[in-house]
Amino acid sequence: MAKITKSPWLLHYDGSSCNGCDIEVLACLTPVYDVERFGIINTGNPKHADIFLVTGGINEKNKAVVKQLYDQMPEPKVVVAVGICACNGGVFKDAYNIIGGVDKAIPVDVYVPGCAARPEAIIDGVVKALGVLDEKQKAFKEAKKKKGAEK
Amino acid sequence: MSKRSIVPFGPQHPVLPEPIHLDLVLEDEKVVEAIPSIGFIHRGLEKLVEKRNFHDYMYVIERIMDVEIPDRAKYLRTIWCEMSRLHSHLLWLGLLADAFGFESLFMHCWRMRETILDMFEASTGGRVIFSVNKIGGVLKDMDNSMLRTFVDMFDKMEEEVRQLTNVFLKDYTVANRLKGVGILTKEDAVLYGAVGPMMRAAGIESDTRKLGYAAYGDIDFDIITGKDCDSFSRCEVRINEIFQSFNIIRQAVAKIPEGPVSVDVKGNPNGEAFVRLEQPRGEAIFYFRGNGTQFLNRARVRTPTFANIPSLVKILEGCDFADVPILVLTIDPCVSCTER
């Protein structure tokens, strides 16, 4: 990623995590780590969001909520799985109702391991997500142009 | 009577870092009834004990196996406990400020909290998950020069925190949002089984630390209570507990004995134990039963947030719709802990 082409807004949702990664996600937004310097803010509204940060291994009840939030986000969108539980279920992998990772529910673009994932790692993941977002945006525009030409 | 309508609150809501769902029954702008539903983060920790090695659960196992840990380890645990309380209360103050729209105050609270996390990182290696306790003691020792540095840092920090908490206690915008809102009377606190700052703000003197686990028995501290039973009172209690924690840490550092930090423990737990601990959010209860193998038979964890949900439902009845996010926050919800 050479430069940031837009101010990406992010949506954070706790997909059955232990709250450890969630407070680290919030810590990213506060003065010491301050992702706002990249123009990133945490929005509570999925319809405004470009990047979806999900923590935790997702349980059966939460699966539908995560899917719904993902569907409500406009294209192009990027999903970042934060923490080892979000990557593969982590310490709760053997629990009876954990589906074992965010990618079992929705497509994931960037994986950030760690227990709890450190703010530096989360920011790195978000910056990687920005690169993916740029590519998706390009592909999205081309597809649109192609569609226009066909008409 | 005006028409009733139901507004869903959560599981995803800007004020909530974690999912909890409330169905709010409204009459105009007043909440008539709140129906909570949880389960979004249930992971089945209590079932998981049958599959995972018992080394993950410390203090209760020590009680089952009758292990007496060295005094220095007890003091170290006390210091880490109080540091956790400090960062938890600062975190909560920040979230509260965010809930009533005081963004800069939120940022300052979290900036101060980072200092404590740095200390955690220096002493345990982790910021959030410490993995520093083990059965029979602790894994890492803090040497005396580190402890002295920490005390110096806390001395400096106390002054900063005082300036910060003055905003909460004296600013009229904060008072307007918190005073007289969400009243939980002493009788109701008993009836609904409130715990922690929620209960103490209603004027009930109770603190599990007074049972004297870890090194709390050797430390002199008073139970902090409030008298107005409202959101402001709960805020005040937590602020006073921050200064109390500074005091407890100072006392613990002054009294900490030299010696080893752990003892060797052999064998598997056989038997049962029941433990009460005072977490930042209130009293937590743990029950474990071992059967002589490396897996446990039964585990039960009751966290403070779970105990406070009935009180939350009570204070939501009759409140303004706009106050719901603040009232949800005043119990200091940790939904992930609740659902295990």
Side-chain angles (χ1 to χ4, degrees):
Chain A
M1 188 198 65
K3 63 178 199 298
I4 297 173
T5 47
K6 66 178 289 186
S7 290
W9 286 14
L10 60 87
L11 176 72
H12 158 239
Y13 185 69
D14 176 342
S16 315
S17 88
C18 71
N19 203 13
C21 295
D22 303 278
I23 53 177
E24 292 295 53
V25 168
L26 281 180
C28 291
L29 306 163
T30 52
V32 175
Y33 297 100
D34 193 22
V35 291
E36 221 166 304
R37 64 202 149 110
F38 302 121
I40 298 170
I41 62 168
N42 185 15
T43 167
N45 189 343
K47 295 186 175 79
H48 295 167
D50 305 294
I51 301 176
F52 190 17
L53 291 186
V54 196
T55 58
I58 319 256
N59 70 13
E60 292 296 342
K61 185 167 179 177
N62 226 343
K63 200 171 161 185
V65 183
V66 171
K67 266 190 186 154
Q68 197 184 12
L69 287 171
Y70 179 76
D71 290 340
Q72 283 180 3
M73 286 171 63
E75 293 280 358
K77 56 195 165 191
V78 187
V79 178
V80 184
V82 177
I84 192 67
C85 299
C87 295
N88 69 0
V91 66
F92 297 112
K93 197 154 88 187
D94 298 330
Y96 58 87
N97 57 347
I98 289 289
I99 66 170
V102 178
D103 54 8
K104 301 262 177 10
I106 53 175
V108 175
D109 300 285
V110 182
Y111 295 86
V112 180
C115 176
R118 291 186 60 89
E120 291 93 338
I122 297 173
I123 293 172
D124 195 39
V126 170
V127 170
K128 280 212 169 65
L130 292 179
V132 179
L133 190 67
D134 262 358
E135 275 166 34
K136 281 194 175 178
Q137 193 139 26
K138 245 182 249 160
F140 191 66
K141 269 185 189 156
E142 261 162 40
K144 222 171 158 186
K145 224 189 261 168
K146 222 174 174 181
K147 214 176 169 190
E150 275 168 16
K151 277 179 189 169
Chain B
M1 197 183 91
S2 55
K3 219 176 114 193
R4 289 192 172 188
S5 48
I6 296 177
V7 175
F9 179 91
Q12 190 266 336
H13 187 279
V15 79
L16 293 171
E18 304 161 278
I20 181 169
H21 178 79
L22 295 169
D23 276 319
L24 301 169
V25 183
L26 297 187
E27 231 167 63
D28 295 334
E29 290 282 299
K30 288 265 180 236
V31 177
V32 188
E33 198 188 351
I35 306 157
S37 90
I38 58 173
F40 293 97
I41 349 185
H42 175 65
R43 299 173 297 269
L45 190 78
E46 292 174 352
K47 184 78 180 155
L48 205 58
V49 298
E50 294 167 19
K51 292 183 190 163
R52 288 189 69 87
N53 191 295
F54 67 85
H55 284 282
D56 295 355
Y57 335 93
M58 316 298 158
Y59 182 48
V60 194
I61 304 289
E62 285 165 8
R63 290 282 295 272
I64 296 178
M65 299 176 76
D66 239 349
V67 176
E68 186 60 31
I69 69 164
D71 283 344
R72 192 174 174 87
K74 285 185 186 168
Y75 273 83
L76 288 173
R77 282 187 188 176
T78 307
I79 293 169
W80 278 316
C81 276
E82 288 309 312
M83 280 164 69
S84 296
R85 192 176 318 275
L86 277 174
H87 102 77
S88 176
H89 280 355
L90 280 171
L91 178 147
W92 177 81
L93 283 173
L95 289 179
L96 181 73
D98 191 43
F100 55 62
F102 206 145
E103 185 99 15
S104 53
L105 197 53
F106 162 63
M107 294 291 182
H108 279 297
C109 292
W110 280 60
R111 176 177 59 81
M112 258 167 236
R113 182 180 161 265
E114 286 290 337
T115 321
I116 299 170
L117 294 190
D118 287 345
M119 292 183 198
F120 271 129
E121 209 178 333
S123 56
T124 69
R127 280 167 53 89
V128 181
I129 312 280
F130 310 129
S131 307
V132 77
N133 282 312
K134 68 168 202 164
I135 294 167
V138 293
L139 286 168
K140 285 179 187 143
D141 194 4
M142 286 195 262
D143 60 19
N144 289 338
S145 72
M146 181 186 262
L147 287 170
R148 269 197 303 278
T149 320
F150 281 4
V151 169
D152 288 345
M153 286 167 87
F154 282 129
D155 286 344
K156 259 185 231 141
M157 212 175 145
E158 191 168 354
E159 192 41 48
E160 274 186 69
V161 175
R162 201 167 294 279
Q163 288 174 8
L164 185 81
T165 51
N166 273 346
V167 182
F168 282 96
L169 297 175
K170 293 180 180 158
D171 193 289
Y172 72 94
T173 51
V174 178
N176 280 350
R177 287 306 301 272
L178 300 181
K179 276 199 174 152
V181 179
I183 290 179
L184 183 77
T185 58
K186 198 170 176 174
E187 292 73 37
D188 282 343
V190 174
L191 184 65
Y192 292 98
V195 294
M198 188 86 181
M199 163 187 69
R200 291 195 280 276
I204 300 171
E205 247 188 62
S206 167
D207 190 325
T208 326
R209 284 178 289 175
K210 281 285 178 198
L211 292 176
Y213 65 87
Y216 285 113
D218 306 338
I219 283 166
D220 178 39
F221 65 99
D222 295 322
I223 298 173
I224 289 163
T225 54
K227 54 182 189 308
D228 296 334
C229 313
D230 57 358
S231 299
F232 191 77
S233 186
R234 295 195 267 277
C235 181
E236 219 176 354
V237 165
R238 289 198 177 95
I239 286 171
N240 289 331
E241 284 187 9
I242 290 179
F243 296 112
Q244 183 188 47
S245 289
F246 283 132
N247 249 329
I248 293 178
I249 293 173
R250 265 188 224 115
Q251 285 187 45
V253 171
K255 284 183 180 171
I256 192 165
E258 295 293 335
V261 293
S262 68
V263 290
D264 278 343
V265 179
K266 286 197 175 75
N268 292 326
N270 197 356
E272 57 184 0
F274 178 83
V275 163
R276 299 161 67 196
L277 295 173
E278 188 73 17
Q279 288 180 346
R281 296 174 172 88
E283 179 185 332
I285 296 172
F286 298 86
Y287 167 84
F288 287 132
R289 190 172 68 218
N291 54 2
T293 68
Q294 60 167 331
F295 304 111
L296 295 176
N297 239 355
R298 174 78 179 107
R300 171 82 183 114
V301 183
R302 200 226 51 198
T303 57
T305 305
F306 188 74
N308 275 334
I309 286 179
S311 314
L312 170 68
V313 172
K314 169 70 191 162
I315 58 176
L316 283 175
E317 276 171 22
C319 79
D320 278 338
F321 182 48
D323 284 331
V324 172
I326 291 185
L327 290 182
V328 171
L329 271 179
T330 58
I331 73 163
D332 195 357
C334 176
V335 187
S336 304
C337 322
T338 299
E339 303 188 5
R340 303 169 298 277

